[in-house]
Amino acid sequence: MSITTGENNRRAPRQRVLKTVKIYRLNGAHAVDCQVRDMSDTGARIVIKDQLALPNEFKFVLPSEDSTRIAKVVWRKGDLAGIVFLSERTLPPTERLQNGSMI
């Protein structure tokens, strides 16, 4: 499975967004904050000033949606990186209760 920067290779359409995201190492240590430029159900394009601070696999935390996903970098170019989500979006506790299920 290969995902590149080309539009034709995406599995899901991306929507333009401008949100701040927090990147955590899988061990829970904070790595870096960055901006999301576009996002889909399967991945995102992020802007990151320090590519060395971005682990290959990490927790992608979107505070504005109170959600967390595991993600993996699939490409890097300058201050941009393309990521693919390896897990489903977690729901905040209140949203889980409204949907009638607890995860």
Side-chain angles (χ1 to χ4, degrees):
M1 168 177 55
S2 174
I3 298 174
T4 65
T5 57
E7 290 289 330
N8 294 334
N9 295 324
R10 292 198 177 115
R11 290 179 286 161
R14 290 196 178 165
Q15 297 178 351
R16 288 194 173 275
V17 296
L18 184 57
K19 296 182 178 185
T20 299
V21 66
K22 295 189 177 292
I23 303 295
Y24 291 89
R25 299 185 185 283
L26 293 179
N27 68 6
H30 183 257
V32 68
D33 293 341
C34 61
Q35 296 289 317
V36 179
R37 289 295 171 96
D38 56 47
M39 188 164 56
S40 73
D41 289 338
T42 60
R45 180 171 54 116
I46 61 175
V47 177
I48 182 157
K49 300 294 182 199
D50 183 5
Q51 285 282 355
L52 295 176
L54 181 64
N56 288 327
E57 289 191 15
F58 53 89
K59 292 179 186 176
F60 177 91
V61 179
L62 194 55
S64 65
E65 295 180 9
D66 194 22
S67 67
T68 301
R69 292 180 173 188
I70 303 300
K72 177 181 175 180
V73 176
V74 291
W75 61 264
R76 298 172 191 252
K77 184 175 181 181
D79 65 351
L80 298 175
I83 64 171
V84 64
F85 297 128
L86 302 177
S87 68
E88 294 294 320
R89 179 177 73 98
T90 60
L91 297 173
T94 54
E95 200 171 325
R96 286 195 301 246
L97 292 174
Q98 290 171 354
N99 289 336
S101 64
M102 290 297 289
I103 296 175

